[in-house]
Coordinates of all heavy atoms in Angstrom, one line a residue:
M1 N 93.3 7.4 92.9 CA 94.7 7.4 93.3 C 95.0 8.3 94.5 O 96.0 8.1 95.2 CB 95.6 7.9 92.1 CG 95.8 6.9 91.0 SD 96.6 5.4 91.6 CE 95.3 4.2 91.3
F2 N 94.2 9.4 94.7 CA 94.5 10.2 95.8 C 94.5 9.5 97.1 O 95.4 9.7 97.9 CB 93.5 11.4 95.8 CG 93.9 12.4 96.9 CD1 94.9 13.4 96.7 CD2 93.2 12.3 98.1 CE1 95.2 14.2 97.8 CE2 93.5 13.2 99.2 CZ 94.5 14.1 99.0
E3 N 93.4 8.7 97.3 CA 93.3 8.0 98.6 C 94.5 7.1 98.8 O 95.0 7.0 99.9 CB 92.0 7.2 98.7 CG 90.8 8.1 99.1 CD 91.0 8.7 100.4 OE1 91.4 8.1 101.4 OE2 90.7 10.0 100.5
R4 N 94.9 6.3 97.8 CA 96.0 5.4 97.9 C 97.3 6.2 98.2 O 98.1 5.8 99.0 CB 96.2 4.6 96.6 CG 95.0 3.7 96.3 CD 94.9 2.5 97.3 NE 96.1 1.7 97.4 CZ 96.5 0.7 96.6 NH1 95.8 0.4 95.6 NH2 97.6 0.1 96.9
G5 N 97.5 7.3 97.5 CA 98.6 8.1 97.8 C 98.7 8.7 99.2 O 99.7 8.7 99.8
R6 N 97.5 9.1 99.7 CA 97.4 9.6 101.0 C 97.8 8.5 102.0 O 98.5 8.7 103.0 CB 96.0 10.1 101.3 CG 96.0 10.8 102.7 CD 94.8 11.6 102.9 NE 93.6 10.8 102.8 CZ 92.4 11.2 103.1 NH1 92.2 12.5 103.4 NH2 91.3 10.4 103.0
E7 N 97.4 7.2 101.8 CA 97.7 6.1 102.6 C 99.2 5.9 102.7 O 99.8 5.7 103.7 CB 97.0 4.8 102.2 CG 95.5 4.8 102.4 CD 94.9 3.6 101.8 OE1 95.6 2.6 101.5 OE2 93.6 3.6 101.7
Y8 N 99.8 5.9 101.5 CA 101.3 5.8 101.4 C 102.0 6.9 102.2 O 102.9 6.6 102.9 CB 101.8 5.8 99.9 CG 101.7 4.5 99.2 CD1 100.6 3.7 99.2 CD2 102.8 4.0 98.6 CE1 100.5 2.5 98.6 CE2 102.8 2.8 97.9 CZ 101.6 2.0 97.9 OH 101.6 0.8 97.3
W9 N 101.6 8.1 102.0 CA 102.2 9.2 102.7 C 102.0 9.1 104.2 O 102.9 9.2 105.0 CB 101.6 10.5 102.2 CG 101.8 11.7 103.2 CD1 103.0 12.3 103.5 CD2 100.8 12.3 104.0 NE1 102.8 13.3 104.4 CE2 101.5 13.3 104.7 CE3 99.5 12.2 104.1 CZ2 100.8 14.1 105.6 CZ3 98.8 13.0 105.0 CH2 99.4 14.0 105.7
H10 N 100.8 8.7 104.6 CA 100.4 8.6 106.0 C 101.2 7.5 106.7 O 101.6 7.6 107.9 CB 98.9 8.3 106.2 CG 98.5 8.2 107.6 ND1 98.4 9.3 108.4 CD2 98.1 7.1 108.3 CE1 98.0 8.9 109.6 NE2 97.8 7.6 109.6
H11 N 101.6 6.4 106.0 CA 102.3 5.3 106.6 C 103.8 5.5 106.4 O 104.6 4.6 106.6 CB 101.9 4.0 105.9 CG 100.5 3.6 106.4 ND1 99.4 3.8 105.7 CD2 100.1 3.1 107.6 CE1 98.3 3.4 106.4 NE2 98.7 3.0 107.5
G12 N 104.3 6.7 106.0 CA 105.7 7.0 105.9 C 106.5 6.4 104.8 O 107.7 6.1 104.9
A13 N 105.8 6.1 103.7 CA 106.5 5.5 102.5 C 107.4 6.4 101.8 O 108.2 5.9 101.0 CB 105.4 4.9 101.6
V14 N 107.3 7.7 102.0 CA 108.1 8.7 101.2 C 109.4 9.0 102.0 O 109.4 9.3 103.2 CB 107.3 10.0 101.0 CG1 108.2 11.0 100.2 CG2 106.0 9.7 100.3
S15 N 110.5 8.9 101.2 CA 111.8 9.2 101.8 C 112.7 9.9 100.8 O 112.3 10.0 99.6 CB 112.5 7.9 102.3 OG 112.8 7.0 101.3
A16 N 113.9 10.3 101.2 CA 114.8 11.0 100.4 C 114.2 12.1 99.6 O 114.5 12.2 98.4 CB 115.5 10.0 99.5
L17 N 113.4 13.0 100.2 CA 112.8 14.1 99.5 C 113.8 15.2 99.4 O 114.3 15.8 100.4 CB 111.6 14.5 100.4 CG 110.5 15.4 99.8 CD1 109.9 14.7 98.5 CD2 109.3 15.6 100.8
V18 N 114.1 15.6 98.1 CA 115.1 16.6 97.8 C 114.6 17.5 96.7 O 113.9 17.1 95.8 CB 116.4 15.9 97.2 CG1 117.4 16.9 96.8 CG2 117.0 14.9 98.3
R19 N 114.9 18.8 97.0 CA 114.5 19.8 95.9 C 115.8 20.4 95.4 O 116.6 20.9 96.2 CB 113.6 20.9 96.5 CG 113.2 21.9 95.5 CD 112.1 22.8 95.9 NE 111.8 23.7 94.8 CZ 110.9 24.7 94.9 NH1 110.2 24.8 96.1 NH2 110.6 25.4 93.9
R20 N 115.9 20.4 94.1 CA 117.1 21.1 93.4 C 116.5 22.0 92.4 O 116.0 21.6 91.3 CB 117.9 20.0 92.7 CG 118.7 19.1 93.5 CD 119.5 18.1 92.7 NE 120.2 17.1 93.5 CZ 121.4 17.3 94.0 NH1 122.0 18.5 93.8 NH2 122.0 16.4 94.7
G21 N 116.4 23.3 92.8 CA 115.8 24.3 91.9 C 114.3 24.0 91.7 O 113.6 24.0 92.7
D22 N 114.0 23.8 90.5 CA 112.6 23.5 90.2 C 112.2 22.0 90.1 O 111.2 21.6 89.6 CB 112.2 24.2 88.8 CG 112.9 23.6 87.6 OD1 113.8 22.8 87.8 OD2 112.5 24.0 86.5
E23 N 113.1 21.2 90.6 CA 112.9 19.7 90.6 C 112.8 19.1 92.0 O 113.7 19.4 92.8 CB 114.1 19.0 89.8 CG 113.8 17.6 89.6 CD 114.9 16.9 88.8 OE1 115.9 16.6 89.3 OE2 114.7 16.8 87.5
L24 N 111.8 18.4 92.2 CA 111.5 17.7 93.5 C 111.6 16.2 93.2 O 111.0 15.7 92.3 CB 110.1 18.1 94.0 CG 109.7 17.5 95.3 CD1 110.6 18.1 96.5 CD2 108.2 17.8 95.6
T25 N 112.5 15.5 94.0 CA 112.6 14.1 93.8 C 112.4 13.4 95.2 O 112.6 14.0 96.2 CB 114.0 13.7 93.3 OG1 115.0 14.1 94.2 CG2 114.2 14.3 91.9
A26 N 112.0 12.1 95.1 CA 111.8 11.3 96.3 C 111.8 9.8 95.9 O 111.7 9.4 94.8 CB 110.4 11.6 96.9
E27 N 112.0 9.0 97.0 CA 111.8 7.6 96.8 C 110.6 7.2 97.6 O 110.4 7.7 98.7 CB 113.1 6.9 97.4 CG 114.3 7.1 96.6 CD 115.5 6.4 97.1 OE1 115.4 5.8 98.2 OE2 116.6 6.5 96.5
V28 N 109.8 6.3 97.0 CA 108.5 5.9 97.7 C 108.5 4.4 97.7 O 108.6 3.7 96.6 CB 107.3 6.5 96.9 CG1 106.0 6.1 97.7 CG2 107.4 8.0 96.8
E29 N 108.3 3.8 98.9 CA 108.2 2.4 99.0 C 106.9 1.9 98.3 O 105.9 2.6 98.5 CB 108.2 2.0 100.5 CG 109.5 2.2 101.2 CD 109.4 1.8 102.6 OE1 108.6 0.9 103.0 OE2 110.1 2.5 103.4
G30 N 106.9 0.8 97.6 CA 105.8 0.3 97.0 C 105.8 -1.2 97.1 O 106.3 -1.8 98.0
S31 N 105.2 -1.9 96.1 CA 105.1 -3.3 96.1 C 106.4 -4.0 95.7 O 106.6 -5.2 95.9 CB 104.0 -3.8 95.2 OG 104.3 -3.3 93.9
E32 N 107.4 -3.3 95.1 CA 108.7 -3.9 94.8 C 109.7 -3.8 95.9 O 109.5 -3.0 96.8 CB 109.2 -3.2 93.5 CG 108.3 -3.4 92.3 CD 108.2 -4.8 91.8 OE1 109.2 -5.5 91.8 OE2 107.1 -5.2 91.5
S33 N 110.8 -4.5 95.9 CA 111.8 -4.5 96.9 C 112.6 -3.2 96.9 O 113.1 -2.7 97.9 CB 112.7 -5.7 96.8 OG 113.4 -5.7 95.6
V34 N 112.7 -2.6 95.7 CA 113.4 -1.3 95.5 C 112.4 -0.2 95.4 O 111.4 -0.3 94.7 CB 114.2 -1.4 94.2 CG1 114.9 0.0 94.0 CG2 115.3 -2.5 94.3
P35 N 112.6 0.9 96.2 CA 111.6 2.0 96.1 C 111.5 2.6 94.7 O 112.4 2.6 93.9 CB 112.2 3.1 97.1 CG 113.2 2.4 97.9 CD 113.7 1.2 97.1
Y36 N 110.3 3.1 94.4 CA 110.1 3.8 93.2 C 110.7 5.2 93.3 O 110.7 5.8 94.3 CB 108.6 3.9 92.9 CG 107.9 2.6 92.7 CD1 107.0 2.1 93.5 CD2 108.3 1.8 91.6 CE1 106.4 0.8 93.3 CE2 107.7 0.5 91.3 CZ 106.8 0.1 92.2 OH 106.2 -1.2 92.0
R37 N 111.1 5.7 92.2 CA 111.8 7.0 92.1 C 110.8 8.0 91.5 O 110.3 7.8 90.4 CB 113.0 7.0 91.3 CG 113.8 8.2 91.2 CD 114.7 8.3 92.4 NE 115.5 9.5 92.3 CZ 115.9 10.2 93.3 NH1 115.6 9.9 94.5 NH2 116.7 11.3 93.1
V38 N 110.4 9.1 92.2 CA 109.5 10.1 91.7 C 110.3 11.4 91.4 O 111.1 11.8 92.2 CB 108.4 10.4 92.8 CG1 107.6 11.6 92.4 CG2 107.6 9.2 93.1
T39 N 110.0 12.0 90.3 CA 110.6 13.2 89.9 C 109.4 14.2 89.5 O 108.6 13.8 88.6 CB 111.5 13.1 88.7 OG1 112.5 12.1 89.0 CG2 112.2 14.4 88.3
I40 N 109.4 15.4 90.1 CA 108.4 16.3 89.8 C 109.1 17.6 89.4 O 109.9 18.2 90.1 CB 107.5 16.6 91.0 CG1 106.8 15.3 91.4 CG2 106.4 17.7 90.8 CD1 106.2 15.3 92.8
R41 N 108.7 18.2 88.2 CA 109.2 19.4 87.8 C 108.2 20.5 88.1 O 107.0 20.4 87.7 CB 109.5 19.4 86.2 CG 110.0 20.6 85.6 CD 111.4 20.8 85.6 NE 112.2 19.7 85.2 CZ 113.5 19.5 85.4 NH1 114.1 20.4 86.1 NH2 114.1 18.4 85.0
L42 N 108.6 21.5 88.8 CA 107.8 22.6 89.3 C 107.9 23.8 88.3 O 109.0 24.1 87.8 CB 108.1 23.0 90.7 CG 108.1 21.9 91.7 CD1 108.8 22.3 93.0 CD2 106.7 21.4 91.9
H43 N 106.8 24.6 88.2 CA 106.9 25.8 87.3 C 105.8 26.7 87.7 O 104.6 26.3 87.7 CB 106.8 25.4 85.8 CG 106.9 26.5 84.9 ND1 108.0 27.2 84.7 CD2 105.9 27.1 84.1 CE1 107.8 28.2 83.8 NE2 106.5 28.2 83.5
D44 N 106.1 28.0 88.0 CA 105.2 29.0 88.3 C 104.2 28.6 89.4 O 102.9 28.8 89.2 CB 104.4 29.5 87.0 CG 105.3 30.2 86.1 OD1 106.3 30.8 86.5 OD2 105.0 30.3 84.9
G45 N 104.6 28.0 90.4 CA 103.8 27.6 91.6 C 102.9 26.4 91.3 O 102.1 26.0 92.1
G46 N 103.2 25.7 90.2 CA 102.4 24.5 89.9 C 103.3 23.3 89.4 O 104.5 23.4 89.6
I47 N 102.7 22.3 88.9 CA 103.5 21.2 88.4 C 103.5 21.2 86.9 O 102.5 21.2 86.2 CB 102.8 19.9 88.9 CG1 102.7 19.8 90.4 CG2 103.5 18.6 88.4 CD1 101.8 18.8 91.0
A48 N 104.7 21.2 86.4 CA 104.9 21.2 84.9 C 104.9 19.8 84.4 O 104.4 19.5 83.3 CB 106.2 21.9 84.5
K49 N 105.5 18.9 85.2 CA 105.7 17.5 84.7 C 105.9 16.6 86.0 O 106.6 17.0 86.9 CB 106.8 17.3 83.7 CG 107.0 16.0 83.2 CD 108.2 16.0 82.2 CE 108.4 14.5 81.7 NZ 109.5 14.4 80.8
A50 N 105.4 15.4 86.0 CA 105.7 14.5 87.1 C 105.8 13.1 86.5 O 105.1 12.7 85.6 CB 104.5 14.5 88.1
S51 N 106.8 12.3 87.0 CA 107.0 11.0 86.6 C 107.4 10.1 87.7 O 107.9 10.6 88.8 CB 108.1 11.0 85.5 OG 109.4 11.4 86.0
C52 N 107.2 8.8 87.5 CA 107.5 7.8 88.5 C 108.0 6.5 87.8 O 107.6 6.3 86.7 CB 106.3 7.5 89.4 SG 106.5 6.3 90.7
T53 N 108.9 5.8 88.5 CA 109.4 4.6 87.9 C 108.5 3.4 88.0 O 108.8 2.3 87.5 CB 110.8 4.2 88.5 OG1 110.7 4.1 89.9 CG2 111.8 5.3 88.1
C54 N 107.3 3.6 88.6 CA 106.3 2.5 88.8 C 105.7 2.2 87.4 O 105.7 3.0 86.5 CB 105.3 2.8 89.8 SG 104.0 3.9 89.3
P55 N 105.0 1.0 87.3 CA 104.4 0.7 86.0 C 103.0 1.3 85.7 O 102.4 1.0 84.7 CB 104.3 -0.8 86.1 CG 104.2 -1.1 87.5 CD 105.0 -0.1 88.2
Y56 N 102.6 2.2 86.6 CA 101.2 2.9 86.4 C 101.2 3.6 85.0 O 102.0 4.4 84.7 CB 101.0 3.9 87.5 CG 99.7 4.6 87.4 CD1 98.5 3.9 87.9 CD2 99.6 5.8 86.9 CE1 97.3 4.6 87.8 CE2 98.3 6.5 86.9 CZ 97.2 5.8 87.3 OH 96.0 6.5 87.2
D57 N 100.1 3.3 84.3 CA 100.0 3.8 82.9 C 98.5 4.1 82.6 O 98.1 3.7 81.5 CB 100.6 2.9 81.9 CG 100.8 3.5 80.5 OD1 100.9 4.7 80.5 OD2 100.9 2.8 79.6
W58 N 97.7 4.6 83.5 CA 96.3 4.9 83.2 C 95.9 6.3 83.2 O 94.8 6.7 83.4 CB 95.5 4.1 84.3 CG 95.6 2.6 84.1 CD1 94.9 1.9 83.2 CD2 96.5 1.7 84.7 NE1 95.3 0.6 83.2 CE2 96.2 0.4 84.2 CE3 97.5 1.9 85.7 CZ2 97.0 -0.7 84.6 CZ3 98.2 0.7 86.1 CH2 97.9 -0.5 85.5
G59 N 96.9 7.2 83.0 CA 96.6 8.6 82.9 C 96.6 9.3 84.3 O 96.3 8.6 85.3
G60 N 97.0 10.5 84.4 CA 97.1 11.2 85.7 C 98.3 10.8 86.5 O 99.2 10.1 86.0
C61 N 98.3 11.2 87.7 CA 99.4 10.9 88.6 C 99.2 9.6 89.4 O 98.1 9.3 89.8 CB 99.6 12.0 89.6 SG 100.0 13.6 88.9
C62 N 100.2 8.8 89.5 CA 100.2 7.6 90.3 C 100.2 7.9 91.8 O 100.4 9.0 92.2 CB 101.3 6.7 90.0 SG 102.9 7.3 90.6
K63 N 99.9 6.9 92.6 CA 99.8 7.1 94.1 C 101.2 7.5 94.7 O 101.2 8.2 95.7 CB 99.3 5.8 94.7 CG 100.2 4.6 94.5 CD 99.5 3.3 94.9 CE 100.3 2.1 94.4 NZ 99.5 0.9 94.6
H64 N 102.3 7.1 94.0 CA 103.6 7.5 94.5 C 103.9 9.0 94.3 O 104.4 9.7 95.2 CB 104.7 6.7 93.8 CG 104.4 5.2 93.8 ND1 103.9 4.6 92.7 CD2 104.4 4.3 94.8 CE1 103.7 3.3 93.0 NE2 104.0 3.1 94.3
I65 N 103.4 9.6 93.2 CA 103.5 11.0 93.0 C 102.6 11.8 94.0 O 103.0 12.8 94.6 CB 103.1 11.4 91.5 CG1 104.2 10.8 90.6 CG2 103.0 12.9 91.4 CD1 103.8 10.9 89.1
V66 N 101.4 11.3 94.2 CA 100.5 11.9 95.2 C 101.1 11.9 96.6 O 101.1 12.9 97.3 CB 99.1 11.2 95.2 CG1 98.3 11.7 96.3 CG2 98.4 11.4 93.8
A67 N 101.7 10.8 97.0 CA 102.3 10.6 98.3 C 103.5 11.6 98.4 O 103.6 12.3 99.5 CB 102.8 9.2 98.5
T68 N 104.3 11.8 97.4 CA 105.4 12.7 97.4 C 104.9 14.2 97.6 O 105.4 14.9 98.4 CB 106.2 12.6 96.1 OG1 106.7 11.3 96.0 CG2 107.4 13.6 96.1
L69 N 103.9 14.5 96.8 CA 103.3 15.9 96.9 C 102.7 16.2 98.3 O 102.9 17.3 98.8 CB 102.3 16.1 95.8 CG 102.9 16.2 94.4 CD1 101.8 16.2 93.4 CD2 103.7 17.5 94.2
L70 N 102.1 15.2 98.9 CA 101.5 15.3 100.2 C 102.6 15.5 101.2 O 102.5 16.3 102.2 CB 100.6 14.2 100.5 CG 99.2 14.1 99.8 CD1 98.5 12.8 100.1 CD2 98.4 15.3 100.2
A71 N 103.7 14.7 101.1 CA 104.8 14.8 102.1 C 105.4 16.2 102.0 O 105.7 16.8 103.0 CB 105.8 13.8 101.8
W72 N 105.6 16.7 100.8 CA 106.1 18.1 100.6 C 105.2 19.1 101.1 O 105.7 20.0 101.8 CB 106.4 18.3 99.1 CG 107.0 19.6 98.7 CD1 107.9 20.3 99.4 CD2 106.6 20.4 97.6 NE1 108.2 21.5 98.7 CE2 107.3 21.6 97.6 CE3 105.6 20.3 96.6 CZ2 107.2 22.6 96.7 CZ3 105.5 21.3 95.7 CH2 106.3 22.4 95.7
A73 N 103.9 19.0 100.9 CA 103.0 20.0 101.4 C 102.8 20.0 102.9 O 102.7 21.0 103.5 CB 101.6 19.8 100.7
D74 N 102.9 18.8 103.5 CA 102.7 18.6 104.9 C 103.9 19.2 105.7 O 103.7 19.8 106.7 CB 102.6 17.2 105.3 CG 102.4 17.0 106.7 OD1 101.4 17.5 107.3 OD2 103.2 16.3 107.4
D75 N 105.1 19.0 105.2 CA 106.3 19.5 105.9 C 107.4 19.9 104.9 O 108.4 19.2 104.7 CB 106.8 18.3 106.8 CG 107.9 18.8 107.8 OD1 108.2 20.0 107.8 OD2 108.4 17.9 108.5
P76 N 107.2 21.1 104.3 CA 108.2 21.6 103.4 C 109.6 21.8 104.0 O 110.6 21.7 103.3 CB 107.7 22.9 102.8 CG 106.5 23.3 103.7 CD 106.1 22.0 104.5
D77 N 109.7 22.0 105.3 CA 111.0 22.1 105.9 C 111.8 20.8 106.0 O 113.0 20.8 106.2 CB 110.8 22.7 107.4 CG 110.3 24.1 107.4 OD1 110.6 24.8 106.4 OD2 109.7 24.5 108.3
A78 N 111.1 19.7 105.8 CA 111.8 18.4 105.8 C 112.4 18.1 104.5 O 113.2 17.1 104.4 CB 110.8 17.3 106.2
V79 N 112.2 18.9 103.5 CA 112.8 18.7 102.2 C 114.2 19.2 102.2 O 114.5 20.3 102.6 CB 112.0 19.4 101.1 CG1 112.7 19.2 99.7 CG2 110.6 18.9 101.0
M80 N 115.2 18.3 101.8 CA 116.6 18.7 101.7 C 116.7 19.6 100.4 O 116.3 19.2 99.3 CB 117.5 17.5 101.6 CG 117.6 16.7 102.8 SD 118.9 15.4 102.7 CE 118.1 14.3 101.6
E81 N 117.2 20.8 100.6 CA 117.5 21.7 99.5 C 118.9 21.6 99.0 O 119.8 21.6 99.8 CB 117.3 23.2 100.0 CG 115.8 23.5 100.4 CD 114.9 23.8 99.2 OE1 115.4 24.0 98.1 OE2 113.7 23.7 99.4
R82 N 119.0 21.4 97.8 CA 120.3 21.2 97.1 C 120.4 22.1 95.9 O 119.4 22.5 95.3 CB 120.5 19.8 96.6 CG 120.5 18.7 97.7 CD 121.8 18.7 98.5 NE 121.8 17.6 99.4 CZ 121.8 17.8 100.7 NH1 121.7 19.0 101.2 NH2 121.9 16.8 101.6
P83 N 121.6 22.6 95.5 CA 121.7 23.4 94.3 C 121.3 22.6 93.1 O 121.4 21.4 93.0 CB 123.2 23.7 94.3 CG 123.9 23.1 95.4 CD 122.9 22.3 96.1
P84 N 120.7 23.3 92.1 CA 120.3 22.7 90.9 C 121.5 22.0 90.2 O 122.6 22.5 90.3 CB 119.8 23.8 90.0 CG 119.4 24.9 91.0 CD 120.4 24.8 92.1
C85 N 121.2 20.9 89.6 CA 122.3 20.2 88.8 C 122.9 21.1 87.8 O 122.2 21.9 87.1 CB 121.7 19.0 88.1 SG 121.3 17.7 89.3
G86 N 124.2 21.1 87.7 CA 124.9 22.0 86.7 C 125.2 23.3 87.2 O 125.8 24.1 86.5
S87 N 124.8 23.7 88.4 CA 125.1 25.0 88.9 C 126.4 24.9 89.7 O 126.8 23.9 90.1 CB 124.0 25.6 89.8 OG 124.0 24.8 91.0
S88 N 127.1 26.0 89.7 CA 128.4 26.0 90.4 C 128.4 26.7 91.7 O 127.5 27.3 92.2 CB 129.5 26.7 89.5 OG 129.0 27.7 88.8

């Protein structure tokens, strides 16, 4: 999955990268007409949980999650920072 995720990231498939507190979200173009939605929960400098709306179900992270993490690692300044949901 890493290689496929890297290809997706390299070809610019990741968009709408937003961080709200400990949650990172993105849209990733895939084989469907509507982009997949990726949600990654961060905790203590690592990943607590990651999910994607794609049908991947073989354990570990799908290529869309990998692409999102690579986009974030490559250019963290490109991530839109927003207040956490529920904060005032």
Side-chain angles (χ1 to χ4, degrees):
M1 282 301 116
F2 182 83
E3 278 303 313
R4 297 289 307 275
R6 186 166 65 172
E7 288 174 19
Y8 273 55
W9 162 69
H10 182 71
H11 289 100
V14 180
S15 63
L17 198 53
V18 176
R19 183 169 181 183
R20 292 180 181 273
D22 65 352
E23 185 176 85
L24 183 67
T25 60
E27 293 182 355
V28 182
E29 293 177 33
S31 56
E32 298 295 319
S33 59
V34 176
Y36 295 114
R37 185 84 175 147
V38 172
T39 303
I40 300 167
R41 178 88 47 198
L42 307 168
H43 181 70
D44 289 338
I47 300 168
K49 182 179 179 184
S51 64
C52 181
T53 58
C54 79
Y56 181 80
D57 192 23
W58 291 276
C61 294
C62 70
K63 59 192 171 192
H64 310 105
I65 293 170
V66 172
T68 299
L69 290 169
L70 289 172
W72 178 44
D74 180 60
D75 191 4
D77 292 333
V79 177
M80 289 188 290
E81 295 281 340
R82 299 280 187 251
C85 292
S87 67
S88 37

